[in-house]
């Protein structure tokens, strides 16, 4: 994607992403309304923790959309810096830990070694991984004993960073088909869950600003979605 002011193509993408986010936000808002009605009918107090988790998840999704919009509409080159992938994934997983706990999902980080930093825009990378993590937490949380893993490993093409779950099964053809229809209909995450594609669509758009592609991936026997980044040659010995 070019990094100029929003053109007609980018405007369409913006509308599609906004539509996906709006569809996603219906779920936590409906939950809060139902909880309020139930508490009123049974004369019980609302669960502050449940409402906080639902609201926090929705707010993060909105923040990720605004981050994408800000970068997509900028005519300036995106500022890059040396970034440690494992550190970024650790930071994002820590930020999502309370949401995962509220969804009764175990959240862990797996890194297969010590790697050289990559040169990338850290804000876009963090926002994309957070949006992806939110989608996986919601999808995996529909299963019992659910688990979501933020993983980093090396491949022959570079360093792979992604989000995985043993509860989910993702097919490449299904992922591409759903991805192409985001915004035109209520698209579900291409797994055995009922989670919408909004978080994945946002992650894909954010990573597109980094000129990397989100794709189905496997790690430690788990299915997931990941990106591949090239470590800095100058720092390859670190």
């Amino acid at each position: 994607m070019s990094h100029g002011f929003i053109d007609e193509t980018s405007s369409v993408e913006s509308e599609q992403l906004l539509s996906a986010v709006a569809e996603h936000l219906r779920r936590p808002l409906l939950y809060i309304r139902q909880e309020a009605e139930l508490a009123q009918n049974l004369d019980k107090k609302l669960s502050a923790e449940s409402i906080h988790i639902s609201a926090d998840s929705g707010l993060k999704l909105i923040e990720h959309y605004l981050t994408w919009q800000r970068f997509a509409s900028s005519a300036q080159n995106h500022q890059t810096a040396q970034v440690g992938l494992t550190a970024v994934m650790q930071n994002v997983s820590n930020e999502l830990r309370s949401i995962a706990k509220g969804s009764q999902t175990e959240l862990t980080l797996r890194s297969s070694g010590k790697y050289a930093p990559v040169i990338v825009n850290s804000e876009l990378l963090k926002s994309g991984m957070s949006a992806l993590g939110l989608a996986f937490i919601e999808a995996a949380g529909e299963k019992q004993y659910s688990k979501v893993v933020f993983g980093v490993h090396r491949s022959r093409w570079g360093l792979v960073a992604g989000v995985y779950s043993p509860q989910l099964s993702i097919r490449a053809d299904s992922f591409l088909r759903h991805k192409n229809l985001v915004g035109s209909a209520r698209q579900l995450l291409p797994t055995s869950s009922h989670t919408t594609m909004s978080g994945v669509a946002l992650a894909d758009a954010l990573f597109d600003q980094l000129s990397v592609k989100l794709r189905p991936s496997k790690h430690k026997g788990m299915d997931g979605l990941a990106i591949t980044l090239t470590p800095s040659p100058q720092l390859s010995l670190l």
Side-chain angles (χ1 to χ4, degrees):
M1 174 183 288
S2 62
H3 302 317
F5 288 104
I6 289 185
D7 54 18
E8 184 176 351
T9 301
S10 296
S11 180
V12 171
E13 184 179 12
S14 179
E15 291 178 5
Q16 290 174 335
L17 287 174
L18 185 58
S19 176
V21 171
E23 177 65 36
H24 185 98
L25 290 178
R26 293 177 61 186
R27 182 168 179 171
L29 291 175
L30 283 172
Y31 170 78
I32 291 172
R33 187 180 71 179
Q34 290 169 355
E35 284 291 298
E37 291 175 350
L38 183 63
Q40 184 179 29
N41 293 335
L42 299 179
D43 195 25
K44 291 184 177 181
K45 292 184 179 181
L46 288 172
S47 169
E49 183 180 6
S50 297
I51 291 177
H52 176 79
I53 290 171
S54 294
D56 194 24
S57 178
L59 286 171
K60 283 185 181 298
L61 207 62
I62 292 174
E63 289 173 3
H64 299 323
Y65 170 77
L66 293 175
T67 296
W68 171 83
Q69 188 180 59
R70 175 161 49 85
F71 278 94
S73 63
S74 174
Q76 300 177 351
N77 291 329
H78 302 339
Q79 185 176 1
T80 60
Q82 298 176 14
V83 175
L85 276 181
T86 301
V88 168
M89 300 294 270
Q90 180 70 68
N91 181 264
V92 173
S93 63
N94 287 340
E95 289 181 357
L96 298 182
R97 202 165 300 281
S98 61
I99 294 176
K101 183 179 179 181
S103 301
Q104 298 183 330
T105 299
E106 179 187 353
L107 196 60
T108 59
L109 171 69
R110 287 186 181 177
S111 181
S112 302
K114 186 175 182 180
Y115 308 114
V118 294
I119 305 298
V120 71
N121 182 281
S122 61
E123 186 178 1
L124 284 168
L125 179 60
K126 289 177 183 177
S127 190
M129 283 300 170
S130 180
L132 192 59
L134 284 169
F136 271 68
I137 289 169
E138 184 175 347
E142 296 176 355
K143 316 290 184 179
Q144 281 191 322
Y145 312 111
S146 57
K147 185 175 184 178
V148 170
V149 176
F150 281 76
V152 181
H153 67 275
R154 189 189 305 278
S155 75
R156 57 179 172 174
W157 298 281
L159 299 182
V160 180
V163 184
Y164 307 85
S165 174
Q167 276 76 40
L168 304 179
S169 176
I170 300 177
R171 292 173 50 191
D173 57 345
S174 180
F175 171 71
L176 291 174
R177 185 170 62 252
H178 283 67
K179 173 182 171 180
N180 292 332
L181 293 173
V182 167
S184 61
R186 186 178 187 273
Q187 292 301 309
L188 303 180
L189 188 66
T191 66
S192 54
S193 83
H194 295 87
T195 302
T196 64
M197 277 281 287
S198 51
V200 175
L202 274 173
D204 187 52
L206 286 159
F207 293 141
D208 192 40
Q209 291 293 312
L210 296 175
S211 298
V212 294
K213 295 298 181 182
L214 185 65
R215 57 177 177 77
S217 173
K218 287 187 178 292
H219 181 55
K220 303 292 185 181
M222 297 177 291
D223 281 4
L225 295 171
I227 59 172
T228 301
L229 296 167
T230 304
S232 172
Q234 294 85 357
L235 300 170
S236 60
L237 297 179
L238 295 181

